[in-house]
Amino acid sequence: MDQSSEEKIMEIVNNSYSKVAKKLLTDTSNCCEPSVSCCSPEVEGSTVQELSIISVNNIPTLGCNTNLIEVAKISTGEKVLDLGSGPGKDTFAASILVGEKGSVIGVDFSDDMLTLANKYRDDNKITNVEFRKGNLTELPVENNSIDVIITNCVINLVPDKTKVFEEAFRVLKSGGRLIDSDISIINPLKADLINNEQLYCACIGGAVTEDDYVRNMKEVGFENIEVRRQYTTSFTIGEEAVPYASSYFIAFKP
Ligand SMILES: C[S@@+](CC[C@H](N)C(=O)[O-])C[C@H]1O[C@@H](n2cnc3c(N)ncnc32)[C@H](O)[C@@H]1O
């Protein structure tokens, strides 16, 4: 894909999620419109739901899996980065686990998502979270500064995934880990569905297979990569049912 097509897709994705954020800012009912985001089936008993901080439970998620924080095994004092933080549910859950000695940075490129996330942060008086505006292909984060990167249903939305993995690798400390919850396609998409805006913003049009995902991570230097499939389902567009999976990709910087 050439650079102008990539920029066009990122603008469409930004507009789509800005609309979701504006709706959430004005609407008190939780969650999003499934047609334009990656809302997932509810998973019972996730660590986030069990956390006694009610404020985090009330923050909507647009992610594909709801137990990311449990899988990430975040410890006190760690420095966490949430890529495509959206409303910030995982960011805030991580902030509880790292405690006062740790900190969490959320990065998102949508001004409206940042407004929403900052509102939740301020309303809940959370002091160890900072949201930064930025594109995942050019992270506003220093080299070798992060212990754990978390990301929930975002990398599929970025056309240049290699660049995102290169940036993740750059900012992680040696020994640091990437815990990526994301959608992957089961079969390559048919030509007429590639770059379909609705499918792209629904987190499927830009998704790759699990094998391609892992190959991409390896190519930039990640090691000990593990894939944990969570569920397989399909998305119906017109007459077409597009099968896809939701998985965790866990990878380490040597
Ligand atoms: C499906 S939502 C997930 C939000 C959040 N991770 C969650 O689980 O609730 C995707 C988020 O990624 C952001 N995003 C998509 N592409 C991005 C990019 N290239 N750079 C930065 N943020 C991006 C969108 O603005 C949106 O907030």
Side-chain angles (χ1 to χ4, degrees):
M1 194 185 295
D2 61 38
Q3 207 186 336
S4 72
S5 309
E6 286 184 2
E7 279 167 12
K8 189 173 164 246
I9 285 182
M10 287 195 284
E11 196 185 329
I12 291 166
V13 169
N14 190 317
N15 288 339
S16 170
Y17 282 95
S18 291
K19 264 190 218 157
V20 175
K22 278 190 188 128
K23 187 163 184 283
L24 288 168
L25 273 166
T26 52
D27 189 354
T28 47
S29 66
N30 269 358
C31 213
C32 46
E33 294 170 32
S35 61
V36 293
S37 73
C38 310
C39 268
S40 56
E42 279 302 310
V43 176
E44 294 299 322
S46 77
T47 301
V48 178
Q49 285 160 347
E50 285 162 7
L51 286 170
S52 58
I53 309 288
I54 300 302
S55 53
V56 170
N57 287 346
N58 289 342
I59 290 168
T61 173
L62 306 175
C64 358
N65 293 299
T66 55
N67 51 347
L68 169 62
I69 294 303
E70 191 174 41
V71 174
K73 294 192 167 60
I74 292 167
S75 306
T76 314
E78 284 192 308
K79 190 157 182 190
V80 179
L81 172 65
D82 186 3
L83 302 181
S85 40
K89 184 163 187 142
D90 294 320
T91 327
F92 299 131
S95 82
I96 295 164
L97 296 174
V98 299
E100 282 174 12
K101 290 187 179 147
S103 59
V104 189
I105 300 168
V107 172
D108 206 288
F109 70 174
S110 157
D111 286 317
D112 296 295
M113 274 298 175
L114 293 168
T115 302
L116 179 70
N118 277 318
K119 178 183 182 309
Y120 290 139
R121 185 196 59 187
D122 297 344
D123 286 354
N124 291 291
K125 302 185 173 52
I126 295 169
T127 54
N128 58 352
V129 168
E130 179 196 352
F131 289 103
R132 296 184 186 171
K133 182 173 178 171
N135 197 312
L136 268 51
T137 55
E138 210 172 333
L139 287 174
V141 179
E142 312 91 87
N143 293 348
N144 309 311
S145 61
I146 301 293
D147 297 298
V148 195
I149 294 179
I150 55 171
T151 178
N152 202 346
C153 229
V154 183
I155 297 177
N156 71 78
L157 293 165
V158 189
D160 189 348
K161 292 168 187 31
T162 303
K163 191 72 196 138
V164 178
F165 290 131
E166 281 171 356
E167 280 294 88
F169 195 85
R170 176 182 69 75
V171 303
L172 273 177
K173 295 176 186 171
S174 174
R177 60 200 188 277
L178 165 64
I179 319 295
D180 174 11
S181 153
D182 211 350
I183 297 290
S184 57
I185 45 169
I186 309 291
N187 308 308
L189 287 179
K190 290 187 181 158
D192 60 327
L193 294 180
I194 293 175
N195 299 337
N196 173 296
E197 289 180 15
Q198 189 196 353
L199 208 57
Y200 212 100
C201 295
C203 296
I204 295 159
V208 297
T209 62
E210 283 178 345
D211 286 350
D212 281 346
Y213 219 114
V214 170
R215 190 177 36 74
N216 222 334
M217 286 173 144
K218 270 190 193 151
E219 276 168 7
V220 308
F222 281 106
E223 291 183 356
N224 298 325
I225 302 167
E226 186 194 339
V227 182
R228 291 189 205 165
R229 175 89 60 99
Q230 300 298 292
Y231 60 89
T232 306
T233 181
S234 63
F235 183 89
T236 305
I237 180 158
E239 305 277 289
E240 196 98 38
V242 182
Y244 68 91
S246 183
S247 307
Y248 286 108
F249 299 86
I250 301 167
F252 291 81
K253 176 172 173 175

mmCIF file of all heavy atoms in Angstrom, residues 210-245:
data_model
loop_
_atom_site.group_PDB
_atom_site.id
_atom_site.type_symbol
_atom_site.label_atom_id
_atom_site.label_comp_id
_atom_site.label_asym_id
_atom_site.label_seq_id
_atom_site.Cartn_x
_atom_site.Cartn_y
_atom_site.Cartn_z
ATOM 1 N N GLU A 210 -2.813 -14.947 11.869
ATOM 2 C CA GLU A 210 -1.940 -15.096 13.049
ATOM 3 C C GLU A 210 -0.499 -15.337 12.615
ATOM 4 O O GLU A 210 0.434 -14.795 13.209
ATOM 5 C CB GLU A 210 -2.429 -16.268 13.920
ATOM 6 C CG GLU A 210 -3.657 -15.924 14.741
ATOM 7 C CD GLU A 210 -4.165 -17.114 15.562
ATOM 8 O OE1 GLU A 210 -3.769 -18.268 15.299
ATOM 9 O OE2 GLU A 210 -4.990 -16.885 16.460
ATOM 10 N N ASP A 211 -0.321 -16.148 11.563
ATOM 11 C CA ASP A 211 1.050 -16.454 11.096
ATOM 12 C C ASP A 211 1.761 -15.188 10.618
ATOM 13 O O ASP A 211 2.938 -14.976 10.913
ATOM 14 C CB ASP A 211 1.014 -17.477 9.946
ATOM 15 C CG ASP A 211 0.683 -18.864 10.466
ATOM 16 O OD1 ASP A 211 0.674 -19.062 11.696
ATOM 17 O OD2 ASP A 211 0.419 -19.743 9.626
ATOM 18 N N ASP A 212 1.042 -14.357 9.859
ATOM 19 C CA ASP A 212 1.671 -13.112 9.374
ATOM 20 C C ASP A 212 2.019 -12.189 10.535
ATOM 21 O O ASP A 212 3.050 -11.514 10.539
ATOM 22 C CB ASP A 212 0.718 -12.370 8.413
ATOM 23 C CG ASP A 212 0.736 -13.002 7.024
ATOM 24 O OD1 ASP A 212 1.650 -13.802 6.754
ATOM 25 O OD2 ASP A 212 -0.187 -12.704 6.235
ATOM 26 N N TYR A 213 1.135 -12.178 11.513
ATOM 27 C CA TYR A 213 1.339 -11.348 12.696
ATOM 28 C C TYR A 213 2.658 -11.742 13.386
ATOM 29 O O TYR A 213 3.530 -10.911 13.658
ATOM 30 C CB TYR A 213 0.168 -11.611 13.654
ATOM 31 C CG TYR A 213 -0.351 -10.401 14.370
ATOM 32 C CD1 TYR A 213 -1.626 -9.901 14.134
ATOM 33 C CD2 TYR A 213 0.431 -9.779 15.332
ATOM 34 C CE1 TYR A 213 -2.114 -8.808 14.808
ATOM 35 C CE2 TYR A 213 -0.056 -8.682 16.014
ATOM 36 C CZ TYR A 213 -1.324 -8.197 15.745
ATOM 37 O OH TYR A 213 -1.788 -7.115 16.417
ATOM 38 N N VAL A 214 2.806 -13.057 13.621
ATOM 39 C CA VAL A 214 3.986 -13.567 14.331
ATOM 40 C C VAL A 214 5.247 -13.318 13.500
ATOM 41 O O VAL A 214 6.291 -12.898 14.030
ATOM 42 C CB VAL A 214 3.805 -15.079 14.640
ATOM 43 C CG1 VAL A 214 5.092 -15.703 15.139
ATOM 44 C CG2 VAL A 214 2.678 -15.260 15.653
ATOM 45 N N ARG A 215 5.158 -13.547 12.182
ATOM 46 C CA ARG A 215 6.315 -13.318 11.314
ATOM 47 C C ARG A 215 6.765 -11.854 11.402
ATOM 48 O O ARG A 215 7.957 -11.555 11.534
ATOM 49 C CB ARG A 215 5.935 -13.679 9.862
ATOM 50 C CG ARG A 215 7.125 -13.721 8.914
ATOM 51 C CD ARG A 215 6.718 -14.142 7.505
ATOM 52 N NE ARG A 215 5.413 -13.646 7.076
ATOM 53 C CZ ARG A 215 5.159 -12.400 6.724
ATOM 54 N NH1 ARG A 215 6.120 -11.503 6.737
ATOM 55 N NH2 ARG A 215 3.943 -12.033 6.370
ATOM 56 N N ASN A 216 5.770 -10.952 11.388
ATOM 57 C CA ASN A 216 6.070 -9.519 11.476
ATOM 58 C C ASN A 216 6.786 -9.175 12.781
ATOM 59 O O ASN A 216 7.740 -8.395 12.812
ATOM 60 C CB ASN A 216 4.732 -8.773 11.418
ATOM 61 C CG ASN A 216 4.793 -7.554 10.556
ATOM 62 O OD1 ASN A 216 5.847 -6.977 10.386
ATOM 63 N ND2 ASN A 216 3.657 -7.160 10.018
ATOM 64 N N MET A 217 6.315 -9.754 13.880
ATOM 65 C CA MET A 217 6.935 -9.493 15.198
ATOM 66 C C MET A 217 8.381 -10.008 15.211
ATOM 67 O O MET A 217 9.278 -9.341 15.699
ATOM 68 C CB MET A 217 6.143 -10.190 16.302
ATOM 69 C CG MET A 217 4.824 -9.522 16.633
ATOM 70 S SD MET A 217 3.900 -10.540 17.807
ATOM 71 C CE MET A 217 3.125 -9.280 18.796
ATOM 72 N N LYS A 218 8.574 -11.218 14.658
ATOM 73 C CA LYS A 218 9.922 -11.815 14.632
ATOM 74 C C LYS A 218 10.866 -10.949 13.819
ATOM 75 O O LYS A 218 12.022 -10.749 14.192
ATOM 76 C CB LYS A 218 9.863 -13.200 13.978
ATOM 77 C CG LYS A 218 9.600 -14.318 14.942
ATOM 78 C CD LYS A 218 9.798 -15.658 14.249
ATOM 79 C CE LYS A 218 9.221 -16.749 15.128
ATOM 80 N NZ LYS A 218 8.733 -17.883 14.385
ATOM 81 N N GLU A 219 10.364 -10.440 12.680
ATOM 82 C CA GLU A 219 11.219 -9.670 11.774
ATOM 83 C C GLU A 219 11.808 -8.425 12.431
ATOM 84 O O GLU A 219 12.899 -8.005 12.089
ATOM 85 C CB GLU A 219 10.424 -9.250 10.522
ATOM 86 C CG GLU A 219 10.406 -10.339 9.476
ATOM 87 C CD GLU A 219 9.408 -10.083 8.349
ATOM 88 O OE1 GLU A 219 8.796 -8.976 8.308
ATOM 89 O OE2 GLU A 219 9.222 -11.000 7.550
ATOM 90 N N VAL A 220 11.085 -7.837 13.378
ATOM 91 C CA VAL A 220 11.635 -6.627 14.010
ATOM 92 C C VAL A 220 12.489 -6.971 15.236
ATOM 93 O O VAL A 220 13.075 -6.077 15.836
ATOM 94 C CB VAL A 220 10.540 -5.591 14.387
ATOM 95 C CG1 VAL A 220 9.639 -5.284 13.214
ATOM 96 C CG2 VAL A 220 9.730 -6.037 15.583
ATOM 97 N N GLY A 221 12.536 -8.239 15.628
ATOM 98 C CA GLY A 221 13.449 -8.649 16.704
ATOM 99 C C GLY A 221 12.798 -9.257 17.933
ATOM 100 O O GLY A 221 13.499 -9.685 18.856
ATOM 101 N N PHE A 222 11.467 -9.320 17.977
ATOM 102 C CA PHE A 222 10.815 -9.924 19.154
ATOM 103 C C PHE A 222 11.111 -11.413 19.228
ATOM 104 O O PHE A 222 11.291 -12.086 18.202
ATOM 105 C CB PHE A 222 9.295 -9.690 19.111
ATOM 106 C CG PHE A 222 8.890 -8.311 19.546
ATOM 107 C CD1 PHE A 222 8.471 -7.362 18.624
ATOM 108 C CD2 PHE A 222 8.939 -7.952 20.893
ATOM 109 C CE1 PHE A 222 8.110 -6.077 19.020
ATOM 110 C CE2 PHE A 222 8.572 -6.672 21.301
ATOM 111 C CZ PHE A 222 8.161 -5.737 20.363
ATOM 112 N N GLU A 223 11.172 -11.931 20.453
ATOM 113 C CA GLU A 223 11.456 -13.356 20.671
ATOM 114 C C GLU A 223 10.414 -13.975 21.605
ATOM 115 O O GLU A 223 9.634 -13.253 22.220
ATOM 116 C CB GLU A 223 12.853 -13.524 21.301
ATOM 117 C CG GLU A 223 13.962 -13.174 20.328
ATOM 118 C CD GLU A 223 15.339 -13.399 20.910
ATOM 119 O OE1 GLU A 223 15.460 -13.755 22.098
ATOM 120 O OE2 GLU A 223 16.315 -13.193 20.154
ATOM 121 N N ASN A 224 10.485 -15.306 21.735
ATOM 122 C CA ASN A 224 9.569 -16.054 22.624
ATOM 123 C C ASN A 224 8.116 -15.647 22.399
ATOM 124 O O ASN A 224 7.386 -15.352 23.353
ATOM 125 C CB ASN A 224 9.938 -15.829 24.094
ATOM 126 C CG ASN A 224 11.328 -16.333 24.393
ATOM 127 O OD1 ASN A 224 11.756 -17.338 23.838
ATOM 128 N ND2 ASN A 224 12.044 -15.633 25.247
ATOM 129 N N ILE A 225 7.709 -15.647 21.147
ATOM 130 C CA ILE A 225 6.347 -15.185 20.809
ATOM 131 C C ILE A 225 5.343 -16.316 21.043
ATOM 132 O O ILE A 225 5.569 -17.448 20.627
ATOM 133 C CB ILE A 225 6.293 -14.716 19.337
ATOM 134 C CG1 ILE A 225 7.314 -13.588 19.145
ATOM 135 C CG2 ILE A 225 4.882 -14.262 18.961
ATOM 136 C CD1 ILE A 225 7.579 -13.246 17.688
ATOM 137 N N GLU A 226 4.262 -15.959 21.722
ATOM 138 C CA GLU A 226 3.224 -16.955 22.007
ATOM 139 C C GLU A 226 1.883 -16.414 21.524
ATOM 140 O O GLU A 226 1.592 -15.222 21.699
ATOM 141 C CB GLU A 226 3.172 -17.171 23.537
ATOM 142 C CG GLU A 226 2.246 -18.265 23.973
ATOM 143 C CD GLU A 226 1.964 -18.228 25.472
ATOM 144 O OE1 GLU A 226 2.758 -17.634 26.243
ATOM 145 O OE2 GLU A 226 0.923 -18.762 25.863
ATOM 146 N N VAL A 227 1.076 -17.281 20.913
ATOM 147 C CA VAL A 227 -0.265 -16.867 20.475
ATOM 148 C C VAL A 227 -1.290 -17.625 21.307
ATOM 149 O O VAL A 227 -1.211 -18.846 21.418
ATOM 150 C CB VAL A 227 -0.501 -17.200 18.980
ATOM 151 C CG1 VAL A 227 -1.882 -16.720 18.536
ATOM 152 C CG2 VAL A 227 0.591 -16.587 18.109
ATOM 153 N N ARG A 228 -2.204 -16.900 21.918
ATOM 154 C CA ARG A 228 -3.288 -17.549 22.683
ATOM 155 C C ARG A 228 -4.624 -17.170 22.062
ATOM 156 O O ARG A 228 -5.131 -16.060 22.287
ATOM 157 C CB ARG A 228 -3.276 -17.082 24.145
ATOM 158 C CG ARG A 228 -2.090 -17.585 24.913
ATOM 159 C CD ARG A 228 -2.262 -17.269 26.392
ATOM 160 N NE ARG A 228 -0.969 -17.201 27.030
ATOM 161 C CZ ARG A 228 -0.736 -16.687 28.222
ATOM 162 N NH1 ARG A 228 -1.746 -16.179 28.931
ATOM 163 N NH2 ARG A 228 0.473 -16.658 28.731
ATOM 164 N N ARG A 229 -5.185 -18.057 21.280
ATOM 165 C CA ARG A 229 -6.487 -17.798 20.637
ATOM 166 C C ARG A 229 -7.586 -17.755 21.712
ATOM 167 O O ARG A 229 -7.663 -18.646 22.549
ATOM 168 C CB ARG A 229 -6.733 -18.914 19.612
ATOM 169 C CG ARG A 229 -8.065 -18.913 18.920
ATOM 170 C CD ARG A 229 -8.134 -18.105 17.648
ATOM 171 N NE ARG A 229 -7.249 -18.466 16.574
ATOM 172 C CZ ARG A 229 -7.585 -19.216 15.510
ATOM 173 N NH1 ARG A 229 -8.799 -19.723 15.422
ATOM 174 N NH2 ARG A 229 -6.723 -19.421 14.529
ATOM 175 N N GLN A 230 -8.438 -16.734 21.666
ATOM 176 C CA GLN A 230 -9.526 -16.605 22.642
ATOM 177 C C GLN A 230 -10.868 -17.074 22.086
ATOM 178 O O GLN A 230 -11.609 -17.749 22.760
ATOM 179 C CB GLN A 230 -9.661 -15.150 23.108
ATOM 180 C CG GLN A 230 -8.405 -14.594 23.779
ATOM 181 C CD GLN A 230 -8.045 -15.367 25.042
ATOM 182 O OE1 GLN A 230 -8.759 -15.302 26.029
ATOM 183 N NE2 GLN A 230 -6.956 -16.120 25.009
ATOM 184 N N TYR A 231 -11.180 -16.655 20.887
ATOM 185 C CA TYR A 231 -12.426 -17.110 20.263
ATOM 186 C C TYR A 231 -12.361 -16.915 18.756
ATOM 187 O O TYR A 231 -11.541 -16.144 18.253
ATOM 188 C CB TYR A 231 -13.665 -16.399 20.844
ATOM 189 C CG TYR A 231 -13.704 -14.901 20.694
ATOM 190 C CD1 TYR A 231 -14.270 -14.298 19.573
ATOM 191 C CD2 TYR A 231 -13.199 -14.064 21.694
ATOM 192 C CE1 TYR A 231 -14.318 -12.914 19.444
ATOM 193 C CE2 TYR A 231 -13.248 -12.680 21.567
ATOM 194 C CZ TYR A 231 -13.805 -12.115 20.441
ATOM 195 O OH TYR A 231 -13.850 -10.749 20.311
ATOM 196 N N THR A 232 -13.206 -17.665 18.049
ATOM 197 C CA THR A 232 -13.300 -17.525 16.591
ATOM 198 C C THR A 232 -14.769 -17.274 16.279
ATOM 199 O O THR A 232 -15.644 -17.913 16.856
ATOM 200 C CB THR A 232 -12.831 -18.827 15.897
ATOM 201 O OG1 THR A 232 -11.542 -19.145 16.385
ATOM 202 C CG2 THR A 232 -12.770 -18.656 14.389
ATOM 203 N N THR A 233 -15.021 -16.311 15.408
ATOM 204 C CA THR A 233 -16.407 -15.988 15.065
ATOM 205 C C THR A 233 -16.415 -15.420 13.643
ATOM 206 O O THR A 233 -15.432 -15.593 12.909
ATOM 207 C CB THR A 233 -17.006 -15.022 16.118
ATOM 208 O OG1 THR A 233 -18.355 -14.750 15.782
ATOM 209 C CG2 THR A 233 -16.250 -13.710 16.221
ATOM 210 N N SER A 234 -17.494 -14.785 13.240
ATOM 211 C CA SER A 234 -17.483 -14.186 11.902
ATOM 212 C C SER A 234 -18.246 -12.867 11.903
ATOM 213 O O SER A 234 -19.066 -12.611 12.785
ATOM 214 C CB SER A 234 -18.074 -15.155 10.876
ATOM 215 O OG SER A 234 -19.417 -15.393 11.188
ATOM 216 N N PHE A 235 -17.914 -12.048 10.917
ATOM 217 C CA PHE A 235 -18.534 -10.734 10.748
ATOM 218 C C PHE A 235 -19.297 -10.772 9.428
ATOM 219 O O PHE A 235 -18.742 -11.186 8.410
ATOM 220 C CB PHE A 235 -17.435 -9.672 10.692
ATOM 221 C CG PHE A 235 -17.929 -8.256 10.601
ATOM 222 C CD1 PHE A 235 -18.198 -7.531 11.754
ATOM 223 C CD2 PHE A 235 -18.106 -7.644 9.365
ATOM 224 C CE1 PHE A 235 -18.644 -6.210 11.677
ATOM 225 C CE2 PHE A 235 -18.557 -6.326 9.277
ATOM 226 C CZ PHE A 235 -18.814 -5.610 10.445
ATOM 227 N N THR A 236 -20.566 -10.364 9.460
ATOM 228 C CA THR A 236 -21.346 -10.415 8.220
ATOM 229 C C THR A 236 -21.374 -9.045 7.570
ATOM 230 O O THR A 236 -21.709 -8.046 8.202
ATOM 231 C CB THR A 236 -22.788 -10.887 8.516
ATOM 232 O OG1 THR A 236 -22.681 -12.137 9.199
ATOM 233 C CG2 THR A 236 -23.589 -11.077 7.244
ATOM 234 N N ILE A 237 -20.972 -9.051 6.297
ATOM 235 C CA ILE A 237 -21.019 -7.802 5.542
ATOM 236 C C ILE A 237 -21.710 -8.111 4.210
ATOM 237 O O ILE A 237 -21.234 -8.939 3.443
ATOM 238 C CB ILE A 237 -19.612 -7.177 5.377
ATOM 239 C CG1 ILE A 237 -19.690 -5.887 4.594
ATOM 240 C CG2 ILE A 237 -18.586 -8.132 4.807
ATOM 241 C CD1 ILE A 237 -18.514 -4.958 4.816
ATOM 242 N N GLY A 238 -22.870 -7.491 3.991
ATOM 243 C CA GLY A 238 -23.672 -7.857 2.820
ATOM 244 C C GLY A 238 -24.072 -9.317 2.941
ATOM 245 O O GLY A 238 -24.603 -9.751 3.962
ATOM 246 N N GLU A 239 -23.764 -10.080 1.907
ATOM 247 C CA GLU A 239 -24.090 -11.514 1.887
ATOM 248 C C GLU A 239 -22.964 -12.352 2.470
ATOM 249 O O GLU A 239 -23.078 -13.554 2.620
ATOM 250 C CB GLU A 239 -24.286 -11.975 0.426
ATOM 251 C CG GLU A 239 -25.321 -11.179 -0.362
ATOM 252 C CD GLU A 239 -26.715 -11.683 -0.077
ATOM 253 O OE1 GLU A 239 -27.039 -12.778 -0.525
ATOM 254 O OE2 GLU A 239 -27.456 -10.958 0.631
ATOM 255 N N GLU A 240 -21.853 -11.688 2.760
ATOM 256 C CA GLU A 240 -20.599 -12.384 3.080
ATOM 257 C C GLU A 240 -20.389 -12.543 4.586
ATOM 258 O O GLU A 240 -20.564 -11.586 5.333
ATOM 259 C CB GLU A 240 -19.463 -11.517 2.532
ATOM 260 C CG GLU A 240 -18.152 -12.188 2.406
ATOM 261 C CD GLU A 240 -17.904 -12.684 0.980
ATOM 262 O OE1 GLU A 240 -18.307 -11.958 0.038
ATOM 263 O OE2 GLU A 240 -17.342 -13.751 0.852
ATOM 264 N N ALA A 241 -20.011 -13.750 5.036
ATOM 265 C CA ALA A 241 -19.599 -13.932 6.444
ATOM 266 C C ALA A 241 -18.085 -14.079 6.451
ATOM 267 O O ALA A 241 -17.538 -14.983 5.815
ATOM 268 C CB ALA A 241 -20.252 -15.173 7.019
ATOM 269 N N VAL A 242 -17.403 -13.161 7.117
ATOM 270 C CA VAL A 242 -15.937 -13.178 7.134
ATOM 271 C C VAL A 242 -15.477 -13.769 8.470
ATOM 272 O O VAL A 242 -15.654 -13.144 9.519
ATOM 273 C CB VAL A 242 -15.372 -11.738 6.981
ATOM 274 C CG1 VAL A 242 -13.849 -11.760 6.957
ATOM 275 C CG2 VAL A 242 -15.934 -11.068 5.738
ATOM 276 N N PRO A 243 -14.880 -14.980 8.472
ATOM 277 C CA PRO A 243 -14.443 -15.556 9.744
ATOM 278 C C PRO A 243 -13.194 -14.858 10.271
ATOM 279 O O PRO A 243 -12.315 -14.476 9.500
ATOM 280 C CB PRO A 243 -14.129 -17.028 9.393
ATOM 281 C CG PRO A 243 -13.925 -17.055 7.932
ATOM 282 C CD PRO A 243 -14.606 -15.859 7.324
ATOM 283 N N TYR A 244 -13.147 -14.675 11.583
ATOM 284 C CA TYR A 244 -11.961 -14.064 12.183
ATOM 285 C C TYR A 244 -11.763 -14.613 13.595
ATOM 286 O O TYR A 244 -12.678 -15.217 14.175
ATOM 287 C CB TYR A 244 -12.049 -12.530 12.197
ATOM 288 C CG TYR A 244 -13.095 -11.950 13.124
ATOM 289 C CD1 TYR A 244 -12.783 -11.617 14.442
ATOM 290 C CD2 TYR A 244 -14.398 -11.735 12.684
ATOM 291 C CE1 TYR A 244 -13.743 -11.084 15.297
ATOM 292 C CE2 TYR A 244 -15.362 -11.200 13.534
ATOM 293 C CZ TYR A 244 -15.026 -10.880 14.836
ATOM 294 O OH TYR A 244 -15.970 -10.363 15.670
ATOM 295 N N ALA A 245 -10.562 -14.388 14.125
ATOM 296 C CA ALA A 245 -10.247 -14.844 15.484
ATOM 297 C C ALA A 245 -9.814 -13.665 16.324
ATOM 298 O O ALA A 245 -9.372 -12.638 15.800
ATOM 299 C CB ALA A 245 -9.114 -15.869 15.426
#
